[in-house]
Amino acid sequence: MRIAKKTPTVQPFMRLSMLLAGAGLAAAAWAADPAPKDTTATNPLGGKAAAPAAAKATPGQPRQITWEELVPKDWDPAKEFKGMDLSALDDGDPRANELLMKMQEVSNNAPTNAAMNGVEVKIPGFIVPLEEAKGEVTEFLLVPYFGACIHTPPPPANQILHVVPQKGAKFRAMDTVWVTGKLQTLRNDSMMGVSGYHVSAANVTKYTGGAK
């Protein structure tokens, strides 16, 4: 898929909308079971979004979590941009690029939820491969909606998981999977995006759920 080149006038709107979607709308709409297709940044369920509901933990078992739980409740990524008139930015206006850089900085430094550090979790998402060997993915990013980091800008760091499975997984880019393992609040920079969380995955399995 070829992405059309955007002018500086359009880019601020696109980046801000993606920033807000990744940090708020996508997380809030994402229930325990995402849809593996027909998803967007603002509607990751690909249909009528179900209200998020945290799954009850079973003693000795990983806790199934939602993407919303990864975002601190008091974080407002739009706070620094409120009151700005983006429509006033003309093509080639250097303020447009400055604003884009500021938005990217806010996104890359999105705070993580310290309460999730060290928790054994199970979470569904889409694969963005980073390393492959012998037809298997050995390192990847897990993202909450289809196309993130590949066809659209990456979501905020607190909505990206850096996953290293214990053994290679036979999946391709944007396949939908369940990831199970210990979650850590550990930042990682990659060419595909900045992740705020790391998972040493005990299991990476094919997604079997669906939108509710």
Side-chain angles (χ1 to χ4, degrees), residues 39-98:
T39 61
T40 65
T42 55
N43 188 12
L45 288 175
K48 184 177 180 181
K56 291 183 179 180
T58 301
Q61 296 295 319
R63 179 159 69 90
Q64 186 175 314
I65 65 170
T66 66
W67 286 87
E68 183 181 19
E69 294 177 74
L70 302 177
V71 181
K73 293 181 180 180
D74 59 352
W75 184 56
D76 179 8
K79 181 173 60 176
E80 297 183 48
F81 309 107
K82 288 178 180 177
M84 289 187 179
D85 184 9
L86 302 185
S87 63
L89 299 179
D90 297 326
D91 288 356
D93 190 329
R95 292 177 299 171
N97 286 330
E98 290 177 6

Side-chain angles (χ1 to χ4, degrees), residues 18-24 75 77 106-110 144-145 153-160 194-196:
M18 293 301 299
L19 178 65
L20 294 177
W75 184 56
V106 170
S107 180
N108 289 346
N109 290 286
Y145 54 85
N158 58 21
Q159 292 288 274
I160 302 179
V194 178
S195 54

Side-chain angles (χ1 to χ4, degrees), residues 25-40:
L25 295 178
W30 189 278
D33 294 330
K37 57 184 178 179
D38 299 326
T39 61
T40 65

Side-chain angles (χ1 to χ4, degrees), residues 187-206:
R187 178 188 172 94
N188 180 71
D189 293 359
S190 76
M191 62 183 295
M192 302 303 290
V194 178
S195 54
Y197 293 94
H198 174 85
V199 178
S200 297
N203 291 296
V204 179
T205 56
K206 182 178 179 180

Side-chain angles (χ1 to χ4, degrees), residues 141-187:
L141 300 181
L142 191 73
V143 294
Y145 54 85
F146 188 89
C149 302
I150 297 179
H151 300 305
T152 64
N158 58 21
Q159 292 288 274
I160 302 179
L161 277 61
H162 175 225
V163 181
V164 178
Q166 291 181 1
K167 59 181 180 178
K170 295 194 175 196
F171 293 103
R172 298 177 298 175
M174 287 296 121
D175 277 351
T176 321
V177 299
W178 288 104
V179 168
T180 303
K182 180 176 287 188
L183 187 68
Q184 293 177 289
T185 52
L186 183 64
R187 178 188 172 94

